[in-house]
Amino acid sequence: MSPAPVRLYNTLTRQVDTLVPVTPGRVTVYTCGSTVYRFAHIGNLRTYLFGDLLRRTLEYLGYEVVYVKNITDVGHMRDDQTDTGEDRMVLAAMEEGKAPLEIAQFYTDAWLADEALLNIRPADVMPRATDHIGQMLELIQTLVDKGLAYEVDGTVYFDVSAFPAYGRLSGQRVEATKAGTRVDVESDKHDPADFALWKASDPGRLMHWPSPWGEGFPGWHIECSAMSMEYLGDRFDIHTGGIDLKFPHHEDEIAQSDGATGHQVISLWMHGEFLTLDDAKMAKSAGNIIRVSDLPSKGFQPLDFRYLALTAHYRSKLDFTEAAMHAAASGLARLRRAVGTVEDGGGPVDLSAAPVAAYRDRFVAAISDDLAMPSAIAVAHAVAGANDLTAAQRRALLLDFDRVLGLDLDRAEEDGEEALPTGAEDLLAQRAAAREAHDYASSDRLRDELAALGVEVRDTPQGQITTRRR
């Protein structure tokens, strides 16, 4: 049986394109992973959640997925725009008094532990930059041999003027990248827009390797070109990352990879938007970062945040607020209650039979439409309150959806979560059905009955949100 078609927004074409894999039925995906010099925050994790949802969606729709996510442990300069300043790994090593690879291992372990708390599944391959210096050197040599790169005193630069397609992804014109560039920065470049592929190392630098151009270290961008093609080949399907990587990182990747091969390497580029904290971008420099492991101290569970991420489209900004997290926790609890109302699972359920199939078709339509997770969550809540489904059918459908949602819907209530009083779940299901039928008089009456039980109800696009009154 052929996988279901899926449409995804392609940053390169600026439109929603139907995915046509290089190999039918098999999708190859590369995600830019963490620069492991400090803890990942929930803004970073939102990007990795987006990659996880893409992978889960593709597998749910019947594709075989090969998923690669790199670990940057060298070469990421302090200033991404000019490729200057000290390497972030070296800075962290000096600040903490450890060797760079100790820093990398510590923060890699912390990052992967945080991902596990959010049910982000491990990638099939997680290559480290420091293990692929040889592949980077080969790629750089190819670019030099093709006249796309040049060497100055041990540093090798990509010659942007030799690659006419530069700027196609981001919309940045080469002339615009020069505007405001100080002439005293990297004055050995032929042009201020050129970027480093290999940097000559200063005496005493902690991380350096031999190369045909002398001792040095790779630029940040070359690693992803080298590692993505090492594991996925010189034609693969999807490259994902945060919106902040579109320029210069991904623009430079395209120049390197397409320049070296002479053809388009990556078919489809996908970018996730920022997470904000009270409308401000979350960043270490802003001093407003929150780690996944910080959430329990704020009264929330990590999967409450995963649920919150599902309520906004990956291409839309998402604001992290206490109120939003309370609503997410309530929404997740409602879905878990719907799953947990059947003892022993309630027996087998045919997902292809009516009326179950209609709900599943709605879910498939949502996730196939550029990962429309807010719509998918709305379908899940419709199932949770559906009066045309048995409890066993609701459970089976929600657990089927959870293959994509990743919310552990069959998990018992977390410590600190309070069960609804007897009869409240039935009233909520009746009220959801009344609202679906636009019977607002009954909806209001049921709200009053719930209030008498000590349960306050608030209506949201994702369904009813409940709060226990003290």
Side-chain angles (χ1 to χ4, degrees):
M1 183 174 176
S2 299
V6 59
R7 300 170 67 247
L8 302 167
Y9 184 83
N10 188 349
T11 309
L12 194 64
T13 62
R14 292 166 179 75
Q15 64 185 22
V16 177
D17 292 336
T18 298
L19 175 66
V20 181
V22 173
T23 302
R26 181 176 184 267
V27 182
T28 44
V29 183
Y30 184 88
T31 288
C32 282
S34 185
T35 302
V36 287
Y37 72 101
R38 47 92 170 117
F39 291 117
H41 56 69
I42 57 174
N44 305 134
L45 270 295
R46 188 197 178 194
T47 297
Y48 306 135
L49 269 171
F50 145 53
D52 183 66
L53 289 168
L54 171 66
R55 178 198 200 176
R56 287 171 177 265
T57 292
L58 292 170
E59 290 178 346
Y60 183 92
L61 296 175
Y63 295 92
E64 175 194 353
V65 180
V66 181
Y67 190 55
V68 178
K69 180 160 57 178
N70 75 298
I71 300 171
T72 296
D73 58 357
V74 69
H76 195 159
M77 299 293 97
R78 185 164 48 190
D79 189 328
D80 297 340
Q81 296 294 322
T82 62
D83 209 22
T84 59
E86 188 59 270
D87 188 318
R88 296 183 184 188
M89 292 300 306
V90 174
L91 282 174
M94 292 188 295
E95 288 173 1
E96 299 190 27
K98 298 177 182 178
L101 294 184
E102 288 181 295
I103 292 289
Q105 190 60 57
F106 176 82
Y107 287 110
T108 297
D109 291 345
W111 167 41
L112 297 180
D114 285 346
E115 286 204 332
L117 290 173
L118 291 175
N119 275 352
I120 297 174
R121 292 167 46 202
D124 297 310
V125 185
M126 294 195 74
R128 297 174 184 269
T130 50
D131 291 337
H132 296 80
I133 301 297
Q135 289 89 335
M136 297 181 212
L137 292 174
E138 289 179 12
L139 183 55
I140 295 169
Q141 186 64 64
T142 296
L143 292 169
V144 171
D145 292 344
K146 286 195 166 191
L148 293 169
Y150 58 92
E151 181 261 341
V152 179
D153 297 330
T155 293
V156 183
Y157 294 106
F158 188 94
D159 183 357
V160 169
S161 68
F163 188 75
Y166 192 82
R168 180 184 170 201
L169 178 74
S170 63
Q172 292 262 15
R173 297 172 61 87
V174 173
E175 294 76 11
T177 66
K178 303 174 187 178
T181 302
R182 300 195 312 271
V183 294
D184 59 331
V185 172
E186 304 291 2
S187 57
D188 54 347
K189 294 181 181 181
H190 291 177
D191 190 290
D194 296 346
F195 59 90
L197 303 171
W198 185 261
K199 301 271 286 185
S201 61
D202 298 324
R205 190 180 193 279
L206 292 176
M207 302 179 80
H208 58 90
W209 291 264
S211 83
W213 313 283
E215 289 288 318
F217 59 99
W220 173 33
H221 318 297
I222 195 66
E223 67 172 86
C224 285
S225 288
M227 291 189 288
S228 63
M229 290 194 288
E230 173 73 10
Y231 294 100
L232 298 177
D234 65 0
R235 294 184 190 272
F236 65 93
D237 298 309
I238 303 174
H239 194 311
T240 78
I243 193 71
D244 54 326
L245 299 183
K246 188 165 62 170
F247 185 86
H249 186 50
H250 291 163
E251 194 73 73
D252 292 354
E253 274 192 66
I254 290 174
Q256 296 163 162
S257 300
D258 293 9
T261 62
H263 60 73
Q264 181 175 330
V265 172
I266 301 154
S267 302
L268 200 150
W269 288 82
M270 299 179 69
H271 293 92
E273 256 292 359
F274 291 128
L275 177 78
T276 57
L277 179 62
D278 292 327
D279 291 324
K281 178 188 172 184
M282 190 171 292
K284 184 179 179 181
S285 59
N288 64 350
I289 67 168
I290 298 172
R291 289 187 62 200
V292 172
S293 55
D294 295 333
L295 294 176
S297 67
K298 299 178 181 296
F300 304 110
Q301 297 301 320
L303 291 184
D304 296 338
F305 176 72
R306 184 178 179 107
Y307 182 99
L308 177 66
L310 292 169
T311 65
H313 192 270
Y314 75 91
R315 288 194 287 120
S316 300
K317 287 187 173 67
L318 172 64
D319 198 31
F320 180 93
T321 65
E322 185 173 345
M325 282 295 288
H326 278 300
S330 183
L332 176 55
R334 178 175 184 257
L335 294 180
R336 284 182 175 162
R337 288 194 299 270
V339 166
T341 54
V342 182
E343 293 184 7
D344 301 324
V349 172
D350 183 357
L351 296 178
S352 64
V356 175
Y359 288 99
R360 194 170 190 271
D361 288 346
R362 287 168 58 188
F363 183 80
V364 169
I367 63 175
S368 302
D369 183 18
D370 194 29
L371 312 183
M373 293 303 160
S375 297
I377 281 287
V379 175
H381 278 284
V383 167
N387 60 1
D388 59 341
L389 298 173
T390 66
Q393 288 172 329
R394 286 195 291 268
R395 175 185 171 87
L397 267 173
L398 289 172
L399 292 182
D400 179 64
F401 296 172
D402 205 34
R403 292 161 51 198
V404 175
L405 304 178
L407 294 170
D408 284 355
L409 293 182
D410 57 349
R411 178 188 292 186
E413 289 182 344
E414 304 280 359
D415 293 341
E417 289 183 351
E418 196 172 350
L420 287 176
T422 302
E425 192 63 54
D426 286 341
L427 293 174
L428 284 167
Q430 293 175 40
R431 187 172 182 275
R435 291 188 64 78
E436 186 79 14
H438 304 291
D439 182 0
Y440 297 114
S442 295
S443 171
D444 291 343
R445 174 180 54 78
L446 291 163
R447 181 199 294 272
D448 292 340
E449 291 183 36
L450 285 159
L453 294 176
V455 179
E456 293 183 351
V457 184
R458 184 161 54 90
D459 296 304
T460 76
Q462 289 76 45
Q464 301 173 110
I465 301 300
T466 59
T467 305
R468 291 296 305 274
R469 285 195 311 198
R470 302 295 180 183

